[in-house]
């Protein structure tokens, strides 16, 4: 009571100040809650954003990219010159008395020699050329790995969009069916339908609940797979993707896909570059069969020559290996055979490109034909049949079995269409994989 009286005795200015303080703290509390809610909000990414994150975060791609850097480092090693050799030697030091005389350093010789191996027939240049072609192969192999892993990423992205579409369809079906149930309960209360019919309707609802639960689980699984490829620790409930889940009626001729593939497929480029490298390695093997002389020069101090005045002298020599037995015959033959082997592998890679294009094109075209029919006819028919039978059932003109069959047919057609769109987008990704770049979006 005393506290209440004290509050009553406060001046109007003090009461206004107290209200301002309370409003201030309330505003802070609301702002903090809004900030926390915004922080926990889902982040939605487009395909381009997902791809950019993948290329900068996927550990498999990042590890493979180091192969290119290692190959470039080997280019430095390949072009290095042989190191010259410096030799310091001494001789002629007396170690014991002879005829009563011991002058240990009078006859000591000091010799400094320098030698260098001279490589002939462009060995260094050919080694560098071979190393550079190895780097080109590493770059093409990395591009091919990126091509295949991007297909996996695109498939996971499409699976997520498909799971979202199926989940939305399950929600819509359940909401529609709940609306029908509400009307049916009203009809039951009015005595228009029997208890058994209402029970059968309510039992049928479990199928829509199961569809919703399965769709929700599939969406979470698809997101987990996508996050794994992105090497991301983002909580699943805070991660989402967005993009068109539809099909395009446009399709280029098959020969145009093949022409693009021949120009862009990185595995085919790697096969062609392997042939070029094998040819360079064969040239290097021939060059390695040649003779490389070693030039030497030396300076001697206090040598024991016939000339008593030759106190400081210079000398030189050239050493030429005699390639009588070892002329690098084995490497010459091996590298010649390696050219033929890589040419066969190139032909096989080209045949695989054409096979991939034909297979991917046939799958894509098949999905497109079905989608055209669904969009032009079956989707509208399923809606029309469902709505007509539902209206007729609600007004006593159709049986319960007709109504349930119409609901099942609508559900099947709509679900098949969503799955067909997902198959179409996956087939488009498969065709992009066969071509070597994104031709179809």
């Amino acid at each position: 009571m005393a506290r209440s009286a004290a509050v009553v005795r406060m001046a109007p200015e003090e009461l206004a100040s107290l209200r301002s303080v309370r409003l201030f703290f309330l505003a802070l509390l609301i702002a903090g809650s809004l900030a926390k809610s915004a922080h926990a909000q889902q982040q939605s990414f487009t395909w381009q954003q997902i791809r950019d994150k993948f290329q900068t975060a996927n550990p498999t791609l990042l590890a493979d990219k180091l192969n290119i850097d290692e190959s470039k480092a080997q280019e430095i090693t390949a072009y290095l010159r042989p190191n010259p050799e410096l030799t310091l030697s001494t001789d002629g030091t007396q170690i014991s008395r002879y005829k009563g005389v011991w002058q240990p350093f009078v006859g000591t010789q000091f010799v400094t020699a320098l030698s260098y191996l001279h490589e002939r027939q462009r060995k260094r240049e050919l080694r560098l050329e071979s190393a550079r072609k190895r780097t080109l192969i590493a770059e093409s192999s990395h591009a091919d790995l990126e091509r295949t892993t991007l297909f996996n990423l695109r498939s996971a992205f499409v699976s997520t969009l498909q799971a979202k579409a199926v989940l939305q369809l399950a929600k819509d079906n359940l909401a529609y069916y709940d609306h029908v149930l509400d009307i049916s309960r009203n009809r039951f209360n009015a005595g228009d339908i029997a208890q058994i019919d209402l029970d059968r309707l309510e039992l049928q609802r479990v199928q829509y609940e199961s569809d919703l639960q399965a769709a929700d689980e599939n969406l979470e699984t698809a997101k987990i797979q996508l996050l794994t490829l992105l090497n991301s620790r983002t909580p699943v409930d805070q991660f989402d993707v967005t993009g068109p889940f539809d099909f395009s009626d446009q399709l280029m001729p098959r020969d145009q896909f093949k022409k693009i593939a021949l120009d862009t497929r990185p595995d085919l480029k790697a096969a062609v570059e392997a042939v070029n490298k094998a040819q360079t390695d064969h040239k290097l093997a021939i060059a390695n069969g040649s003779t490389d002389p070693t030039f030497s020069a030396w300076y001697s101090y206090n040598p024991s020559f016939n000339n008593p005045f030759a106190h400081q002298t210079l000398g030189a020599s050239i050493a030429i290996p005699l390639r009588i037995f070892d002329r690098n015959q084995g490497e010459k033959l091996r590298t010649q055979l390696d050219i033929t082997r890589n040419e066969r592998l190139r032909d096989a890679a080209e045949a695989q490109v054409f096979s991939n294009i034909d297979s991917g094109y046939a799958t894509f075209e098949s999905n497109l034909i079905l989608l055209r029919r669904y969009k032009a006819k079956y989707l509208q028919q399923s809606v029309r049949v469902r709505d007509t039978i539902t209206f007729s059932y609600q007004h006593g003109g159709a049986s319960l079995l007709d109504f349930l069959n119409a609901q099942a047919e609508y559900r099947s057609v709509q679900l098949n269409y969503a799955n067909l769109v997902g198959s179409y987008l996956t087939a488009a990704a498969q065709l992009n994989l066969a071509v070597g770049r994104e031709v179809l979006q």
Side-chain angles (χ1 to χ4, degrees):
M1 292 293 295
R3 183 178 178 185
S4 301
V7 172
V8 171
R9 287 194 298 272
M10 283 185 179
E13 295 80 2
E14 292 175 333
L15 288 173
S17 176
L18 184 59
R19 292 193 191 96
S20 299
V21 171
R22 288 177 177 174
L23 288 174
F24 174 74
F25 282 109
L26 182 60
L28 283 180
L29 182 62
I30 294 174
S33 299
L34 290 175
K36 185 176 181 180
S37 175
H39 179 72
Q41 215 170 19
Q42 272 193 344
Q43 287 183 293
S44 189
F45 298 95
T46 63
W47 163 242
Q48 188 60 47
Q49 290 172 325
I50 290 290
R51 178 173 178 169
D52 293 342
K53 287 172 66 66
F54 173 77
Q55 290 174 332
T56 58
N58 184 264
T60 303
L61 277 184
L62 295 178
D64 186 75
K65 194 174 182 180
L66 293 176
N67 289 334
I68 301 175
D69 298 331
E70 291 176 2
S71 186
K72 289 181 178 179
Q74 290 175 353
E75 293 179 18
I76 301 173
T77 304
Y79 199 58
L80 293 176
R81 296 177 182 273
N83 288 322
E85 293 187 8
L86 176 65
T87 305
L88 301 176
S89 61
T90 180
D91 194 10
T93 300
Q94 184 182 5
I95 61 173
S96 63
R97 290 181 179 276
Y98 181 71
K99 295 183 180 182
V101 179
W102 186 45
Q103 296 178 337
F105 300 109
V106 171
T108 299
Q109 304 176 27
F110 297 95
V111 181
T112 302
L114 186 66
S115 61
Y116 180 73
L117 175 68
H118 174 64
E119 292 186 307
R120 299 171 56 245
Q121 296 195 4
R122 300 181 63 249
K123 290 184 179 68
R124 288 176 56 241
E125 288 78 5
L126 288 172
R127 285 200 303 268
L128 177 61
E129 183 180 345
S130 177
R132 284 176 173 172
K133 290 180 178 178
R134 186 187 302 114
T135 301
L136 291 177
I137 294 174
E139 291 174 348
S140 296
S141 299
H142 177 73
D144 191 56
L145 176 65
E146 184 174 351
R147 175 181 72 95
T148 54
T149 51
L150 271 177
F151 168 72
N152 297 332
L153 181 73
R154 182 69 178 180
S155 298
F157 183 82
V158 169
S159 296
T160 306
L161 291 179
Q162 182 178 349
K164 288 181 63 177
V166 172
L167 178 62
Q168 186 59 49
L169 178 62
K171 289 179 179 178
D172 293 342
N173 287 340
L174 183 60
Y176 183 90
Y177 198 78
D178 283 340
H179 175 67
V180 172
L181 277 180
D182 290 339
I183 296 175
S184 298
R185 292 188 184 100
N186 293 333
R187 291 181 62 194
F188 170 75
N189 294 330
D192 193 26
I193 62 174
Q195 178 69 54
I196 188 64
D197 289 342
L198 181 60
D199 291 342
R200 291 180 65 185
L201 286 170
E202 290 182 341
L203 282 175
Q204 191 64 26
R205 189 181 188 275
V206 71
Q207 181 63 52
Y208 295 95
E209 291 179 347
S210 300
D211 290 347
L212 181 61
Q213 187 62 37
D216 188 62
E217 181 182 351
N218 290 338
L219 177 59
E220 186 171 351
T221 302
K223 286 183 178 181
I224 290 173
Q225 183 182 2
L226 199 53
L227 287 169
T228 301
L229 290 170
L230 295 175
N231 195 28
S232 175
R233 302 298 181 267
T234 304
V236 176
D237 57 348
Q238 296 180 21
F239 174 77
D240 195 16
V241 298
T242 182
F245 189 72
D246 202 352
F247 72 97
S248 173
D249 208 5
Q250 303 299 321
L251 182 61
M252 294 188 302
R254 184 177 309 198
D255 291 339
Q256 193 168 349
F257 283 104
K258 291 182 178 180
K259 184 177 181 300
I260 297 173
L262 289 176
D263 295 334
T264 59
R265 273 284 287 260
D267 55 338
L268 183 57
K269 285 185 178 181
V272 173
E273 290 156 358
V275 174
N276 296 333
K277 182 181 181 300
Q279 293 171 346
T280 301
D281 290 343
H282 182 60
K283 295 177 183 177
L284 180 59
I286 294 174
N288 286 334
S290 64
T291 298
D292 293 334
T294 301
F295 298 99
S296 301
W298 58 86
Y299 162 79
S300 300
Y301 177 78
N302 194 25
S304 299
F305 292 145
N306 292 331
N307 183 359
F309 301 103
H311 191 63
Q312 299 185 55
T313 62
L314 290 175
S317 69
I318 178 172
I320 302 176
L322 300 178
R323 306 298 294 266
I324 298 174
F325 306 108
D326 178 9
R327 297 189 300 277
N328 209 33
Q329 302 96 316
E331 276 299 294
K332 291 176 184 177
L333 178 59
R334 186 194 67 79
T335 52
Q336 181 65 55
L337 294 172
D338 197 45
I339 293 175
T340 306
R341 183 181 69 86
N342 281 284
E343 286 175 346
R344 300 293 179 269
L345 292 175
R346 178 200 58 197
D347 295 341
E350 186 172 323
Q352 186 63 49
V353 168
F354 290 147
S355 174
N356 292 344
I357 292 292
D358 290 335
S359 176
Y361 193 92
T363 303
F364 184 83
E365 193 174 31
S366 175
N367 280 280
L368 191 57
I369 291 172
L370 282 174
L371 282 170
R372 288 169 181 162
R373 294 173 182 171
Y374 266 81
K375 193 165 188 178
K377 182 179 181 180
Y378 300 134
L379 288 179
Q380 291 85 349
Q381 277 188 342
S382 67
V383 174
R384 187 166 62 249
V385 168
R386 183 194 66 169
D387 293 345
T388 302
I389 297 297
T390 300
F391 179 83
S392 179
Y393 171 72
Q394 289 172 351
H395 293 80
S399 67
L400 176 61
L401 183 60
D402 291 336
F403 168 74
L404 294 178
N405 287 337
Q407 290 291 327
E409 289 167 0
Y410 171 83
R411 171 178 164 274
S412 176
V413 169
Q414 296 293 329
L415 184 60
N416 288 343
Y417 178 74
N419 290 332
L420 268 176
V421 173
S423 298
Y424 164 87
L425 294 175
T426 302
Q430 184 76 43
L431 199 50
N432 288 336
L433 173 70
V435 171
R437 65 180 176 88
E438 287 194 345
V439 180
L440 300 170
Q441 298 297 329

